[in-house]
Amino acid sequence: NAGVTQTPKFRVLKTGQSMTLLCAQDMNHEYMYWYRQDPGMGLRLIHYSVGEGTTAKGEVPDGYNVSRLKKQNFLLGLESAAPSQTSVYFCASSKMDNEQFFGPGTRLTVL
Amino acid sequence: AQSVTQLGSHVSVSEGALVLLRCNYSSSVPPYLFWYVQYPNQGLQLLLKYTTGATLVKGINGFEAEFKKSETSFHLTKPSAHMSDAAEYFCAVRTLSSGGGADGLTFGKGTHLIIQP
């Protein structure tokens, strides 16, 4: 079991560029989440999904889009990156509203 | 709405001493509470959780936490600190959407635990 994996691990973007972060889980979990972690802020929920084909906004959704076309994958997109989106992004998954399992993170820098 | 407050962004203890990390929460529904640990450049790992039942919960690596409803607290303790315990610790509470379904976790800002030799 790989658990939750994230691709890529690191990325540097220029302002205005776009990119997609990929999250994959092999635990057959229904729920998947995207968080961002900033110094002194803890983790904040960006978007989440309670099942294939469904997504919902979290606490800080602006500037991000998501898709859950397959149960095991949850994609996070940045259409036009801004320096304020420099952060570490974590994906997580869970079975219903039980404990969440986290991926190793993606460190994104926007110049 | 749910929220989590962790008292102390940094806590320093000597090796072998008691570890106490404080967490207070607010929740409009019966809370599910979690403690996660994050080692440098890694993801978060679950230490322990409280959902229902026994209010004293034991986790991995010798940590435990007690749910106190009257104090809205869920403090994390360990009797004897090890150097390997140095990490960032996050308290979290389950959040619920307006429809009543779970929609993620609300995290505290984290406490950096420093272990002095």
Side-chain angles (χ1 to χ4, degrees), chain B residues 50-83:
Chain B
Y50 168 81
T51 55
T52 59
T55 57
L56 181 64
V57 292
K58 295 186 185 299
I60 61 172
N61 301 338
F63 284 93
E64 63 182 38
E66 186 172 11
F67 168 60
K68 292 187 176 181
K69 184 178 179 180
S70 61
E71 299 178 6
T72 61
S73 69
F74 191 55
H75 301 330
L76 182 70
T77 61
K78 181 174 180 178
S80 177
H82 295 168
M83 295 299 292

Side-chain angles (χ1 to χ4, degrees), chain A residues 21-87:
Chain A
L21 280 65
L22 171 63
C23 175
Q25 53 96 2
D26 62 2
M27 295 173 283
N28 201 34
H29 286 167
E30 289 293 331
Y31 287 40
M32 295 188 75
Y33 315 83
W34 276 107
Y35 293 90
R36 60 177 290 172
Q37 182 180 28
D38 302 292
M41 300 291 289
L43 278 78
R44 293 179 291 170
L45 183 65
I46 304 171
H47 287 280
Y48 66 101
S49 168
V50 300
E52 182 178 325
T54 70
T55 63
K57 295 179 179 180
E59 179 186 356
V60 289
D62 294 343
Y64 305 96
N65 57 75
V66 288
S67 64
R68 183 100 181 269
L69 299 180
K70 293 183 178 181
K71 185 177 183 178
Q72 64 269 33
N73 295 337
F74 195 30
L75 305 178
L76 177 71
L78 286 72
E79 290 185 348
S80 180
S84 61
Q85 294 177 303
T86 293
S87 188

Side-chain angles (χ1 to χ4, degrees), chain B residues 13-14 21 31 34 39 57 59 65 67-68 79 88 92 95-96 99-100 103 111:
Chain B
V13 302
S14 298
L21 304 183
F34 305 83
Y39 298 102
V57 292
F67 168 60
K68 292 187 176 181
E88 192 84 14
T95 57
L96 297 178
D103 68 355
T111 297

